[in-house]
């Protein structure tokens, strides 16, 4: 098994990432909850890409293991893309953030409530390797919170195809259609390759190349 650290403290994200990548049977996922001593990472980048890369590189450097980070957020068209990369700092907790958004949009009619969830996944290793993958998911903002599943802005984000919020749809559908699911589709291939190289490299040196090839 190869240990991969999910560079996040957000339980909702950790749960979804672990579920979506569960078919990687040679990977054991840990998260920042298993590394309470890692210093707080300040997300001061000017893009999802910069913040995701910073989180993954910091954790890979600190632990010496492969790290996978997720930087994500919600862009609301009527608010010129806010809260965007500031989505987690928009207010003090999920409930307050959702109420604030609904308040700001109270006079915005149905047809102008378009929004986009974005996600960037960064995978870094301790030797300086870094790869990024992106995903987005289009939707509309509700007039009230709906549903109990998920986390964050899920109760106010409608997927038009289902006319339901992500919090009503639940994990099975969310993990197929979400910004995170899309970004992780490509990230999964990258991670599979990194892990297989890592396993090959960690075999004893007295195995010759043909024996190593048989293990991949
Ligand atoms: P880490 O940095 O520790 O991963 P975080 O919650 O601070 O956790 P971000 O900086 O990426 O993560 O902020 C993302 C914000 O967008 C945060 O408020 C989330 O609740 C929200 N968000 C991201 N993905 C979401 C999703 O799938 N559903 C609902 N809200 C989401």
């Amino acid at each position: 098994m190869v240990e991969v650290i999910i560079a996040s403290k957000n339980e909702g994200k950790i749960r979804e990432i672990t579920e979506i990548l569960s078919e990687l049977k040679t990977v054991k996922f840990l998260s920042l909850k298993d590394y309470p001593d890692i210093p707080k990472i300040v997300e001061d980048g000017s893009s999802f890409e910069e913040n995701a890369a910073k989180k993954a590189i910091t954790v890979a450097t600190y632990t010496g293991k492969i790290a996978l980070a997720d930087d994500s957020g919600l862009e609301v068209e009527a608010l010129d893309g806010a809260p965007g990369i500031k989505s987690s700092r928009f207010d003090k907790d999920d409930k307050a953030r959702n109420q604030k958004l609904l308040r700001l949009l109270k006079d915005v009619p149905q047809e102008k409530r378009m929004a986009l969830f974005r996600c960037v996944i960064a995978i870094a290793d301790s030797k300086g390797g870094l790869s990024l993958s992106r995903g987005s998911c289009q939707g509309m903002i509700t007039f009230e919170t709906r549903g109990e599943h998920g986390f964050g802005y899920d109760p106010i984000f409608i997927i038009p195809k289902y006319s339901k919020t992500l919090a009503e749809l639940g994990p099975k559908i969310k993990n197929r259609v979400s910004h995170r699911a899309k970004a992780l589709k490509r990230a999964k291939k990258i991670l599979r390759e990194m892990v297989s190289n890592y396993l090959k490299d960690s075999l004893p040196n007295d195995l010759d190349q043909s024996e190593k090839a048989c293990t991949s």
Side-chain angles (χ1 to χ4, degrees):
M1 291 292 254
V2 177
E3 290 186 336
V4 172
I5 321 291
I6 300 174
S8 175
K9 286 185 177 155
N10 181 318
E11 281 181 33
K13 279 187 189 180
I14 297 168
R15 187 178 56 241
E16 288 181 9
I17 294 168
T18 311
E19 274 169 22
I20 294 169
L21 298 180
S22 62
E23 67 189 60
L24 298 178
K25 299 293 182 207
T26 52
V27 176
K28 179 180 178 202
F29 287 104
L30 302 169
S31 77
L32 289 189
K33 289 172 185 284
D34 301 295
Y35 291 88
D37 296 336
I38 294 188
K40 185 177 160 44
I41 303 164
V42 182
E43 295 182 38
D44 52 5
S46 58
S47 64
F48 293 114
E49 283 80 359
E50 277 182 43
N51 285 335
K54 184 174 183 186
K55 290 190 265 191
I57 291 168
T58 306
V59 173
T61 308
Y62 190 92
T63 60
K65 296 178 195 286
I66 298 170
L68 180 153
D70 166 317
D71 202 62
S72 41
L74 182 64
E75 294 178 349
V76 178
E77 214 171 289
L79 302 176
D80 293 327
I85 58 164
K86 295 189 180 141
S87 291
S88 64
R89 289 161 272 163
F90 193 51
D91 211 322
K92 65 176 192 304
D93 57 27
D94 284 349
K95 195 173 166 201
R97 290 191 270 273
N98 285 331
Q99 291 309 325
K100 183 172 174 181
L101 252 188
L102 292 178
R103 245 186 351 262
L104 288 171
L105 295 180
K106 75 177 174 6
D107 297 323
V108 177
Q110 176 87 52
E111 68 276 11
K112 292 198 171 145
R113 299 174 77 89
M114 285 83 78
L116 190 71
F117 260 130
R118 283 192 194 279
C119 174
V120 174
I121 297 288
I123 302 176
D125 64 27
S126 58
K127 296 178 215 143
L130 173 71
S131 47
L132 300 178
S133 46
R134 298 169 185 82
S136 63
C137 175
Q138 218 132 22
M140 308 289 289
I141 303 297
T142 52
F143 285 90
E144 72 297 309
T145 58
R146 282 165 35 187
E148 302 297 328
H149 296 285
F151 66 97
Y153 298 97
D154 284 346
I156 62 165
F157 189 88
I158 290 188
I159 301 289
K161 181 179 166 194
Y162 296 97
S163 299
K164 284 188 175 169
T165 66
L166 284 171
E168 290 175 305
L169 286 171
K172 212 167 158 201
I173 295 179
K174 182 178 178 189
N175 288 344
R176 275 211 315 266
V177 302
S178 79
H179 48 310
R180 182 162 298 104
K182 291 174 190 162
L184 283 170
K185 202 168 170 187
R186 184 166 162 263
K188 192 190 286 185
K189 291 188 190 144
I190 297 166
L191 198 55
R192 188 176 270 132
E193 205 174 304
M194 274 171 100
V195 165
S196 129
N197 287 338
Y198 189 92
L199 285 170
K200 267 189 237 161
D201 288 348
S202 61
L203 285 173
N205 280 335
D206 52 354
L207 285 183
D208 69 24
Q209 287 310 313
S210 59
E211 282 172 295
K212 283 193 178 187
C214 291
T215 61
S216 57

